[in-house]
Amino acid sequence: MASESSSVTSASSPVAIVCVGMAGSGKTTFMQRINAHLHEKETPPYVMNLDPAVISVPFESNIDIRDSVNYEEVMKQYNLGPNGGILTSLNLFATKVDQIVNLLEKRAKPDPENPQKKPIHNILVDTPGQIEVFVWSASGTILLESLASSFPTVVAYIIDTPRTSSTSTFMSNMLYACSILYKTKLPMILVFNKTDVKDAAFAKEWMTDFEAFQEALRRDEESDALGGVEGGGHGGSGYMGSLLNSMSLVLEEFYAHLSMVGVSARTGTGIDDFFAAVEDKRQEFLRDYQPELERRRAEREDQKKASREKELDKMMQDMAVTSGGGGVGEGQGGEDEEMESSGDDEDSGDEATKKSLQERYEAALGDNEDSVLADASFAKYLHTQR
């Protein structure tokens, strides 16, 4: 599967757009908008819904977690709350990641049996509104890494623009985006949604002009000092203002690695700019991220190979001791010459046995060296063959 994935991840392979965002940011509406936009361009995407708790979605999903996992039943069986139910549902769904990637890879290639069926160019992934459940969970990591191993993958972080107009909430969103970027290690686009309610020009200015953010911070501090309860919670003063001031300096380098677009999922403005940013990040993935992924994959393969060899050598030693019985200590002095003379024959026999076992093991693995079977203990396989 590794070689197949490497061949799929090319300049012509579809791009996977993973939409993440806090509850209420308009993430699902944004998914509906970009889905409709691609259908309008006559390039239908392949859509995945990974939110097991959603009752209904305003778009048709090709892969829906709700078809595989019953969220309410998971909560009942495991005695879980809402977040625990979502997390467990994702964990159960992640066990099917091989099947998901295989389906996506098939749809990314022309179908010889159905030439009229066009290969997909975009994969859209909707995630749970409980953003930390997906981003910081093992299942979320597995799903993201599996996508990135086969397709150029871009994270679209959806932000509620009207609720980010103060310096403190803006900085909180930027810190969250920073943590997601370094957790996923994937190209990211900041999508400032709901621009029909409030223009996102202020956010772009704050990200590109440090002095503009400083001025806005001063205004918020004055507003907090004069406005009381009504004006409170904008920038703060004292320690809070100093912290925001320092963080704006720290994040200046972080902003340089991001693309920022303002969109309105309700009216459709800015969607063309979003897909232009997606194409830029797709090229960035192929240029900068893919070599790093391939290097990490090669390291994992080397570690797996070394682990298998170590287990094989250990098992061969155990088998030699078992077949030799307790003869090591009996008549040791009188048998030294005989052992030396037969040493070469035993070594060659061990090598032949080891080679035979290795061939049988690889034959049992077949083409699944990257699957769960390849990660299973080699010792278990040998025990079944003895």
Side-chain angles (χ1 to χ4, degrees):
M1 186 173 164
S3 59
E4 186 178 350
S5 299
S6 299
S7 62
V8 171
T9 310
S10 63
S12 60
S13 59
V15 58
I17 304 171
V18 182
C19 296
V20 300
M22 296 184 184
S25 61
K27 175 171 51 62
T28 301
T29 309
F30 175 74
M31 276 281 298
Q32 179 192 23
R33 174 59 64 181
I34 60 177
N35 181 37
H37 178 84
L38 291 172
H39 275 280
E40 184 182 349
K41 298 291 185 182
E42 298 183 352
T43 55
Y46 201 89
V47 183
M48 294 174 56
N49 172 44
L50 298 182
D51 189 350
V54 67
I55 297 175
S56 63
V57 289
F59 50 82
E60 292 186 5
S61 303
N62 299 94
I63 297 177
D64 197 323
I65 188 174
R66 297 174 299 171
D67 295 334
S68 303
V69 182
N70 189 322
Y71 166 69
E72 293 182 354
E73 196 63 30
V74 167
M75 289 177 62
K76 290 178 183 178
Q77 287 188 10
Y78 296 97
N79 194 26
L80 299 169
N83 286 347
I86 294 174
L87 179 59
T88 305
S89 298
L90 280 170
N91 290 340
L92 294 170
F93 187 71
T95 61
K96 302 178 182 292
V97 68
D98 285 344
Q99 300 174 34
I100 296 168
V101 173
N102 286 336
L103 283 172
L104 293 173
E105 287 179 348
K106 287 179 181 177
R107 289 293 288 113
K109 299 175 182 177
D111 188 356
E113 298 179 358
N114 190 1
Q116 296 180 347
K117 195 174 184 180
K118 298 179 180 178
I120 57 174
H121 298 288
N122 294 275
I123 301 167
L124 306 183
V125 183
D126 192 16
T127 60
Q130 288 78 355
I131 187 171
E132 68 282 353
V133 172
F134 177 78
V135 174
W136 296 100
S137 66
S139 54
T141 301
I142 290 170
L143 291 165
L144 280 176
E145 289 187 352
S146 298
L147 276 176
S149 67
S150 297
F151 308 99
T153 304
V154 177
V155 175
Y157 180 54
I158 318 300
I159 299 173
D160 188 342
T161 306
R163 295 170 62 184
T164 317
S165 56
S166 70
T167 52
S168 59
T169 54
F170 173 81
M171 188 57 62
S172 298
N173 258 304
M174 293 302 101
L175 289 173
Y176 214 121
C178 181
S179 67
I180 294 172
L181 175 67
Y182 290 110
K183 176 66 171 67
T184 61
K185 296 181 177 65
L186 293 171
M188 176 182 284
I189 302 172
L190 295 184
V191 181
F192 283 85
N193 194 16
K194 305 182 183 180
T195 54
D196 55 308
V197 179
K198 183 173 181 60
D199 192 359
F202 74 93
K204 186 173 184 179
E205 184 181 25
W206 288 354
M207 291 174 64
T208 55
D209 188 347
F210 170 74
E211 293 182 356
F213 182 80
Q214 296 296 305
E215 180 60 31
L217 183 58
R218 282 193 291 271
R219 287 198 303 268
D220 283 350
E221 288 177 348
E222 292 173 1
S223 175
D224 285 346
L226 299 174
V229 175
E230 183 180 354
H234 289 98
S237 58
Y239 173 75
M240 188 63 180
S242 176
L243 177 63
L244 293 175
N245 189 24
S246 301
M247 292 309 302
S248 63
L249 287 170
V250 171
L251 293 180
E252 192 171 3
E253 180 66 22
F254 165 67
Y255 296 148
H257 296 85
L258 294 179
S259 293
M260 176 267 180
V261 293
V263 304
S264 171
R266 189 176 71 85
T267 64
T269 57
I271 299 301
D272 288 327
D273 294 337
F274 170 74
F275 279 103
V278 168
E279 181 58 29
D280 289 341
K281 290 300 176 182
R282 180 176 177 276
Q283 297 298 329
E284 181 181 328
F285 179 94
L286 294 172
R287 182 182 67 250
D288 300 330
Y289 286 78
Q290 186 176 347
E292 176 63 18
L293 288 172
E294 290 177 350
R295 184 187 66 80
R296 295 211 306 260
R297 185 187 299 130
E299 286 182 355
R300 286 196 298 268
E301 287 301 317
D302 291 341
Q303 290 174 358
K304 287 180 184 178
K305 186 176 180 181
S307 178
R308 293 173 194 165
E309 289 291 334
K310 184 177 179 180
E311 289 188 22
L312 176 61
D313 291 339
K314 183 178 179 181
M315 183 57 63
M316 291 302 302
Q317 291 174 8
D318 292 343
M319 292 172 67
V321 171
T322 303
S323 62
V328 176
E330 297 177 4
Q332 184 173 357
E335 294 181 359
D336 285 345
E337 294 181 0
E338 183 179 350
M339 290 177 64
E340 289 176 2
S341 62
S342 61
D344 294 339
D345 294 337
E346 290 178 358
D347 290 342
S348 61
D350 286 347
E351 286 297 325
T353 305
K354 179 178 177 180
K355 184 177 180 182
S356 174
L357 286 169
Q358 184 69 26
E359 289 173 353
R360 286 156 60 192
Y361 177 58
E362 292 175 354
L365 285 179
D367 296 329
N368 295 317
E369 288 198 0
D370 255 5
S371 67
V372 177
L373 178 61
D375 292 327
S377 173
F378 184 43
K380 291 181 180 179
Y381 171 77
L382 287 176
H383 280 302
T384 61
Q385 302 298 311
R386 290 174 61 184

